[in-house]
Amino acid sequence: MLVIAHMGMPDYGDFLDICAEHPDVHLDTTMAFTDFTQATSPFPRERMDDLVALGDRVLFGSDFPNIPYPYEHAVDAVRRLGLGEDWERKVLHDNAARLFGIR
């Protein structure tokens, strides 16, 4: 198992491809999608379908408290992608719980 931090930024596409090719590879959302990161290293909108398809292997990450924005902004950044409640629930909780065997 491998979890790639920060969605592999700035090379999002390359790491989405790696994740798609290797079932034991996961991505974490640390700093991705936040206003702070979108200003300098935006997630490519043309890869949103890949993000949805890999929804079972995306994990919420925060690096809290070592981040230049409030913790809640990281959660809001994931939610404002508008990928649906099921996708959000997986990313914000279920995927990590499953991966680490937490009930």
Side-chain angles (χ1 to χ4, degrees), residues 3-4 7-8 15-16 19 25-29 54 57-59:
V3 178
I4 298 171
M7 299 286 297
F15 286 98
L16 286 166
C19 190
V25 174
H26 299 73
L27 303 168
D28 95 8
T29 66
L54 294 168
R57 291 192 281 136
V58 178
L59 312 171

Side-chain angles (χ1 to χ4, degrees), residues 14-71:
D14 292 337
F15 286 98
L16 286 166
D17 293 343
I18 290 168
C19 190
E21 292 173 25
H22 303 280
D24 289 335
V25 174
H26 299 73
L27 303 168
D28 95 8
T29 66
T30 302
M31 296 187 84
F33 316 118
T34 63
D35 295 344
F36 179 82
T37 300
Q38 288 294 99
T40 58
S41 186
F43 184 84
R45 300 305 288 180
E46 67 273 10
R47 298 303 300 260
M48 292 300 284
D49 289 344
D50 298 306
L51 189 59
V52 171
L54 294 168
D56 288 335
R57 291 192 281 136
V58 178
L59 312 171
F60 177 75
S62 72
D63 277 358
F64 180 81
N66 299 317
I67 49 177
Y69 46 80
Y71 176 86

Side-chain angles (χ1 to χ4, degrees), residues 64-79:
F64 180 81
N66 299 317
I67 49 177
Y69 46 80
Y71 176 86
E72 295 82 8
H73 180 67
V75 175
D76 291 341
V78 168
R79 297 195 72 215

Side-chain angles (χ1 to χ4, degrees), residues 79-99:
R79 297 195 72 215
R80 74 179 177 203
L81 293 171
L83 300 178
E85 288 183 21
D86 289 339
W87 189 89
E88 291 171 10
R89 186 175 13 267
K90 287 185 215 176
V91 171
L92 294 172
H93 175 271
D94 296 352
N95 293 343
R98 183 190 71 250
L99 187 65

